[in-house]
Amino acid sequence: AGYEVDVAVSISPLRTDNGTQLGFCMVVRDVRARKKAENELRRVFAQEQRLEHQHAATSEIRLALLSGSSLTESLGLICRHGGDLLDASAVVICVKDHEALRVIAAAGVPPELVGTAHPSRGSFEERVLQSGQHVQVAVRTDVVTRVVVPLVPDGPTLAVPVIAGDDTVAVLTVARAAGSAAFGAVDL
């Protein structure tokens, strides 16, 4: 029972002084360490690019908040950048409004959904509001009885609480299309 090994192969002909080919010389080198180093370099480069995008998004959001942009505009900017950074199809921010959740900002869903209220009972977002903890699932409707915002994809979903003081005041929900990669620790 063998196993595959990454190798680099060099083959050179062996010739006599008059040019007659006698055979070949082959050198096989194990390049697993080099491949591992290349993969690590790619991973570090991708992480560095991700951090650069995060810093640029954070700077733009901070500038919007400090320049007097409305809270609605700033929250919309957070949704748009969140969707881009996390490769998400939809991002929604909801606040508790009596027995409902009101959408106060969104990206990746029709703009007319912003401002609408939806029943919170049995929803994914209600879990986050009650626990004050993030929730992450592969398919949202596998764990909840109600989807708050229609048209949000039912794929991998990550929801995080928005906390002011000691209270969870809103939920930021990020969803990818069904069949997409799950969210990981780096995404959180």
Side-chain angles (χ1 to χ4, degrees):
Y3 56 92
E4 291 186 17
V5 176
D6 287 322
V7 295
V9 179
S10 297
I11 301 174
S12 301
L14 294 174
R15 300 184 192 274
T16 63
D17 290 340
N18 66 3
T20 304
Q21 188 169 332
L22 296 173
F24 293 94
C25 175
M26 182 165 49
V27 178
V28 179
R29 288 178 289 142
D30 182 341
V31 294
R32 285 178 286 183
R34 186 179 86 199
K35 288 289 221 175
K36 185 177 179 182
E38 288 172 355
N39 288 337
E40 178 63 11
L41 186 59
R42 275 194 281 284
R43 185 194 67 76
V44 168
F45 182 69
Q47 183 180 15
E48 182 64 28
Q49 283 186 313
R50 183 184 183 116
L51 287 173
E52 284 180 24
H53 287 104
Q54 286 176 337
H55 291 304
T58 302
S59 295
E60 186 177 349
I61 292 165
R62 187 178 302 122
L63 180 62
L65 289 167
L66 293 174
S67 69
S69 293
S70 71
L71 183 58
T72 302
E73 291 170 341
S74 298
L75 291 174
L77 194 58
I78 289 170
C79 289
R80 285 190 302 282
H81 280 302
D84 291 342
L85 290 170
L86 296 173
D87 194 28
S89 302
V91 180
V92 176
I93 299 175
C94 296
V95 295
K96 185 83 170 167
D97 187 4
H98 303 290
E99 294 301 313
L101 289 170
R102 187 170 36 88
V103 178
I104 59 170
V109 297
E112 55 270 11
L113 286 176
V114 175
T116 61
H118 307 271
S120 63
R121 185 179 203 96
S123 72
F124 188 72
E125 290 79 3
E126 181 183 50
R127 284 183 169 196
V128 176
L129 281 168
Q130 289 175 349
S131 70
Q133 302 292 317
H134 78 277
V135 177
Q136 184 175 337
V137 296
V139 179
R140 190 172 52 262
T141 54
D142 284 352
V143 296
V144 296
T145 58
R146 175 174 293 152
V147 175
V148 170
V149 181
L151 305 178
V152 171
D154 194 25
T157 304
L158 172 65
V160 294
V162 177
I163 299 172
D166 293 332
D167 298 325
T168 301
V169 296
V171 178
L172 174 100
T173 303
V174 183
R176 291 180 175 152
S180 297
F183 289 101
V186 171
D187 297 321
L188 181 59

